[in-house]
Structures are given as structure tokens and as C-alpha cells.
Amino acid sequence: MKSKHALPARFEGLQAFLDWAQPTETLRLSKRESSSLEDIREFYDAMLAEMPEIIAYLREAASYAQADASTRTLYTLMLSFADASLSMELHKSPTVPDGMPWEIWKPEHETSGWSKKPAIELKPA
Amino acid sequence: MKLSDLQNMRWTLNYPELGTGPVPIDSYSSPGYFEHIKSLFSRTWLCTGKRVEEIPHPGDYFLEHIEATGASVIVVRGTDGVIRGFHNTCLHRGTQLLFDDYGTVPGKLTCIYHGWSYSLTGKNVLVTEKSMFFDVPSMEKDLVPVSVDTWGGFIFVNLNPTPRESLREHLGQELLDLYGDYPFDTTTVHLSYRADLPCSWPVLRDSQLDGYHLKYLHRRSAPRFMESTDAPDRHAYDFKLLGKHGSGSFYGNRAEIEADLSSVAPVAALASRMGQTLASDTANRVDVNTWCPGVNPARARDWFFDFLYLFPNFHIVFLGYQAYIGHKMMPGKQVDHSSWNARYYAPPVETNDLAGQWAAEYMKYSLRDLWREDGNTTVGAQRSINSGVFKRMYLQDQEVLIRHAERVLANEIQSA
């Protein structure tokens, strides 16, 4: 379990869901895919109730690189919430019904190779 | 324009050479046919899916792997700014020069094995312990080139160093005129998913060549987005056969897409307003009359997406004025193996806008999950083909591009 002040003070009510704040897309999806729909619903409902406040908070926040640890954790929780919302609102299932298994569909943007990509620069000479 | 305005339109009948009968599936199953496909991929223009702004400075490179032929290609920007391609092969003992898929080299390529070195034009500039070699001037020691060219900022390679036609000839003037003004240069890659699949390359290719499947396969991830009460059997506004390539333009039920979402899918609704997602009203953000002529040619407000198939290996799916998907589909090492790389491109997201970044991440995950629905159909189809039970395809009019793609493939193989 993370420390008591893992989240910004006004969102401490979400403390019970810190297990969802996994650091990578792959880990977050793995968490969703291995959870029951009831567990996903509990997380989704709690986040949905706070959604307008969280969005307002993120609008005021600094960039991810400059944000403090509790803001980063809140943002990561919001990423997991996006995954959870797809399950609740569209799939009605922890996984993608009739879809290929998530392990086959690899996010290249999370590989070490991708991290060595040169920085994007629009309209190079 | 409404779908019912099309009345009795049957696009397939406009191209009598395509016929209307069942389409055979030799290319999906025959090892002999696969040899022709491998040969095709060694001599035609292939879109890498990578863009010029991904390698903006001299020495920036990426590797392109073409599994069917075994080729590994270095695509690198030279000190003169020109993008070139070479086989990733040191001419001394054949070791690969680079191993990371992306990166930057300091003005030259140096082999890790014995230190031979090459300029970014491919010329050998250093043979170490040179005096101990025999007849150095007659050694073949420059890198083996491949052809590289760009269109719309996309980087294409052709393994043939002296291609039969230029990239522009390959694409054709009509396609260049229709899509040349799309603001590709304001966009870049946001995400990239890959899968190696036990299905043939044509099965994979076809999975993104019709709009027919969206109402059914994607009924959960894009609920009722393409259902029309006006003309229930129609979903397409337009198809064009553009030489070897082809395009389609598709209806979207805007009323369904917007109205229903906010009550049953509040997060999807929020993300669609904060950023650009599948449910965003893209045809109302920038006046459709100002879009390039190829995209949404009907200038329809009830519009969902267009696609442009670039023979043989790349599908662009336009989702808006500055948002599109690129599907790179490549044959694998044998007839019933292939690889799929799906990328999404849009203007870069501001790094100091965490809320906007969240909306972009929402789009990423929704595309990821939607594409998993597509992936599963291909594997199942190949199993049916390999079992011998499934022998031919009956295609409806709005699947005309599949019929055309098979015809083009056969023609290209015959003309070799």
C-alpha cells in the first residue's frame, strides 16, 4: 500500500483505489483484464463521481514532468479510469468481447526501442 | 448528401473487369502464390508508416524489417538532410550495423564487429587494419542501397535500388491530386501497436478494406455509429478505384454518436469534447468544404471516416481534418503469417496540458481495444481457409475494394 498522502488532499477519498494507479499502460490493462466487472464498476463509480473536479484540477496542474508525486498518481489513476470506462460503457466486460487477447497486441510506444526515438520536429527541412 | 440519394448505385458494376462472381482465395492459402507475394514485396514501393518528422535531424534513423524477404533496412537522414536507405549489413562479414529500431548515429555508421565505418550516403570511409587486406580498391565495400522516397511526409522504401517506376508514378496523378492537400505536415505519430498474427497477409489486408463490418463487429466500441434509417443497406457515400489503390467514404450517424453518449457513456462523451476521439464531431470542427478533395468527397456532415488503401501494404483511415490511422500490413515468413502495425497520427499534444493529454490517452486505449476486435476475425478466417472448408468469397457491392485489391495483386504478379 502506498503512503497516506499519495493523492492530492481533496481526492483522498480515492485512496482505496491506489492499486489501479499502475505505472505503465501494459500494467494498467493487465489490471483491468484480470479484475471482475464488479471491481471495475466500484472503481469506475468512485472516479466518475469526482471526474469534473479531477479534470478541473488537471487543467490547473503543471506538465507531467513538473507535477508533484500526488498529482502524477492522480493522473495515472485517471488513465486507469479511461481503461475502466471502456469496460463499463462499451464492452460491458473486463476484456474486449470477441477480441484478440491483449497480450498479442503489443504497444510499441512502450518499448525501450521507442524510447530511443529522436524527438519529433514538425516540418523538418 | 444523403445515402438515399445514391438510389441504385452499384460501384462494382462501374468496373466490368472486376466481375460480380465469387472471389477465389489462392493468395490467402497457396504457398506457391506466396512466393509471388514475396517477390512483389521485394520490388514495389512499401509505405513504412514512419514520417519525416520522426527523423528530423542528420543521423536520425529507424530500422524497417521486411520479414517476408528477411530484409533489415536502415532509413537515415544524411548530413545533407536527404533521407536514404541501406540494407543493415556491414560489407565485411555481414553483421548488422544497427540493432535498436530507432535512434541517432553521430554522422556515420560504424560496425561493432571490426570497426568498419560508412558515411550516411552509404560510402565506406574506413577499413580498419587496411594494409592487411588484399586489393582493397576492388572490394565491394559500400552499403547496399534501397530506394527511398516520401509522399505526404510518409517515408516509403523499395528494396529494388532501380525501381521500375517512381513513387509518384506508383501512386498516380489522380491520387496525388485528391490527397496532396491533406495537412499531413501538421500531424505526427501518437501511438503504435503491433501484432504477429497466424493469418495470411491478404486476410489482414481485407480486414481494413470494408466499412461493412463496423455496424456488426464494432457494435460495442462504436455503437450504432453507422446505422442509417434513411438507407439501411447502405453505409458508403463513395468508392474510387485509383489505379492500384482505392478509397472509400463512409456515413456516420452524428445524432446517435452525440446524443446518446452523454447519458450512457459519460467518460466517452467527455473525452470526445476534450480531445479528438471516435465520437468527436470532426466534420463540424473544420468546414468540410475546405478539406482536401479526396477526404469526405460528398462533403457530408453525417460522416464517420474515409479510407485510402495504398497498394500493397498501407491503409490510411481518415478520422478528421487532422487525424488519421495508418495500418501497415506485411506478409510474414510463410503464407499464413503476417504482421500488423497500427499507428494513429494527429497534431502533437501540448505537454503542459495534462487534461488534453488524458483525452489523447483515452483515444489511444479506445483504438487499441477496437483494433482487437478486428484482429480476432483475421485469425478465425485463416483457420477456415486452412481447413479447406472455406473456398471462395461472396462480396457485396460495398466490398468492391477487396475485389479490386485481389485483381490488382494478380495483375502485378502477372506483369513481373
Side-chain angles (χ1 to χ4, degrees), chain A residues 1-18 46-47 50 53-54 57 70 73-74 77:
Chain A
M1 207 63 195
K2 309 234 166 107
S3 82
K4 215 165 176 237
H5 301 290
L7 290 167
R10 74 179 93 162
F11 301 112
E12 275 186 351
L14 297 170
Q15 198 87 354
F17 300 100
L18 283 178
M47 291 293 289
E50 302 276 5
E53 286 72 29
I54 297 176
Y57 181 88
S70 67
T73 303
L74 181 67
L77 214 46

Side-chain angles (χ1 to χ4, degrees), chain B residues 81-116:
Chain B
V82 175
I83 298 171
R84 297 181 180 84
F86 308 99
H87 284 276
N88 184 11
T89 299
C90 178
L91 272 285
H92 172 220
R93 297 267 294 275
T95 295
Q96 294 203 330
L97 292 163
L98 295 171
F99 296 90
D100 290 328
D101 281 346
Y102 304 89
T104 303
V105 293
K108 61 184 180 178
L109 296 157
T110 301
C111 183
I112 56 169
Y113 201 2
H114 303 94
W116 283 32

Side-chain angles (χ1 to χ4, degrees), chain B residues 3-282:
Chain B
L3 288 177
S4 55
D5 295 342
L6 291 161
Q7 297 186 1
N8 297 317
M9 169 64 97
R10 294 288 184 275
W11 285 278
T12 311
L13 299 181
N14 291 341
Y15 306 96
E17 67 277 16
L18 295 182
T20 55
V23 173
I25 55 168
D26 294 348
S27 73
Y28 303 67
S29 59
S30 153
Y33 204 113
F34 183 66
E35 291 305 310
H36 294 304
I37 291 175
K38 275 166 62 172
S39 165
L40 171 72
F41 274 72
S42 69
R43 63 182 147 83
T44 194
W45 287 100
L46 304 171
C47 184
T48 65
K50 281 92 169 182
R51 296 185 44 78
V52 293
E53 73 277 357
E54 295 182 67
I55 50 170
H57 297 297
D60 292 345
Y61 79 87
F62 64 85
L63 299 184
E64 191 66 15
H65 306 286
I66 300 164
E67 291 299 328
T69 69
S72 168
V73 170
I74 300 169
V75 178
V76 62
R77 192 181 284 270
T79 51
D80 54 1
V82 175
I83 298 171
R84 297 181 180 84
F86 308 99
H87 284 276
N88 184 11
T89 299
C90 178
L91 272 285
H92 172 220
R93 297 267 294 275
T95 295
Q96 294 203 330
L97 292 163
L98 295 171
F99 296 90
D100 290 328
D101 281 346
Y102 304 89
T104 303
V105 293
K108 61 184 180 178
L109 296 157
T110 301
C111 183
I112 56 169
Y113 201 2
H114 303 94
W116 283 32
S117 185
Y118 304 86
S119 78
L120 301 185
T121 62
K123 189 163 176 47
N124 181 292
V125 292
L126 180 64
V127 172
T128 51
E129 302 187 15
K130 192 174 189 173
S131 66
M132 301 304 286
F133 281 87
F134 307 97
D135 193 14
V136 173
S138 63
M139 293 184 341
E140 295 167 293
K141 53 190 181 299
D142 294 336
L143 296 182
V144 179
V146 306
S147 301
V148 172
D149 203 349
T150 67
W151 171 74
F154 281 104
I155 300 169
F156 291 70
V157 299
N158 188 328
L159 292 181
N160 184 349
T162 54
R164 193 163 63 172
E165 57 183 0
S166 70
L167 175 62
R168 265 154 190 75
E169 288 164 344
H170 169 75
L171 294 172
Q173 195 57 48
E174 189 179 4
L175 188 153
L176 298 175
D177 290 343
L178 285 170
Y179 296 94
D181 288 337
Y182 191 85
F184 289 113
D185 62 351
T186 63
T187 65
T188 192
V189 63
H190 281 218
L191 56 90
S192 172
Y193 293 94
R194 291 170 176 273
D196 293 313
L197 293 170
C199 76
S200 65
W201 163 71
V203 165
L204 191 56
R205 174 201 64 194
D206 294 353
S207 72
Q208 300 292 339
L209 267 181
D210 77 82
Y212 183 17
H213 71 273
L214 274 91
K215 277 192 253 187
Y216 309 97
L217 179 67
H218 301 312
R219 65 190 178 280
R220 297 184 189 92
S221 46
R224 296 182 300 282
F225 284 12
M226 290 181 75
E227 284 175 20
S228 158
T229 50
D230 175 47
D233 283 357
R234 290 193 179 275
H235 53 265
Y237 285 118
D238 188 45
F239 288 103
K240 286 190 178 73
L241 308 191
L242 302 163
K244 289 178 270 194
H245 323 284
S247 69
S249 184
F250 300 95
Y251 169 84
N253 189 329
R254 296 274 28 134
E256 283 284 0
I257 292 170
E258 283 147 49
D260 270 5
L261 266 181
S262 49
S263 57
V264 299
V267 180
L270 177 75
S272 74
R273 292 193 304 273
M274 286 173 58
Q276 172 141 359
T277 71
L278 291 167
S280 297
D281 187 4
T282 55

Side-chain angles (χ1 to χ4, degrees), chain A residues 25 28 32-33 63 78 81 83 89 91 95 98-100 104-106 108-109 116-117 119-121 125, chain B residues 53-54 56-57 77 100 102 188 192-195 265-268 351 357-358 362 365 368-369 372 376:
Chain A
E25 179 188 342
R28 288 188 294 273
R32 185 193 80 180
E33 298 270 331
S63 69
M78 276 295 281
F81 176 51
D83 272 331
E89 297 180 356
H91 311 321
T95 190
D98 305 330
M100 63 179 165
I104 294 176
W105 197 217
K106 295 183 168 63
E108 189 198 7
H109 49 262
K116 291 173 182 150
K117 263 167 75 72
I120 299 282
E121 194 170 301
Chain B
E53 73 277 357
E54 295 182 67
H57 297 297
R77 192 181 284 270
D100 290 328
Y102 304 89
T188 192
S192 172
Y193 293 94
R194 291 170 176 273
V267 180
T351 55
Q357 288 203 326
W358 174 78
Y362 179 93
Y365 308 155
R368 176 199 67 204
D369 281 3
R372 282 165 63 189
N376 217 25

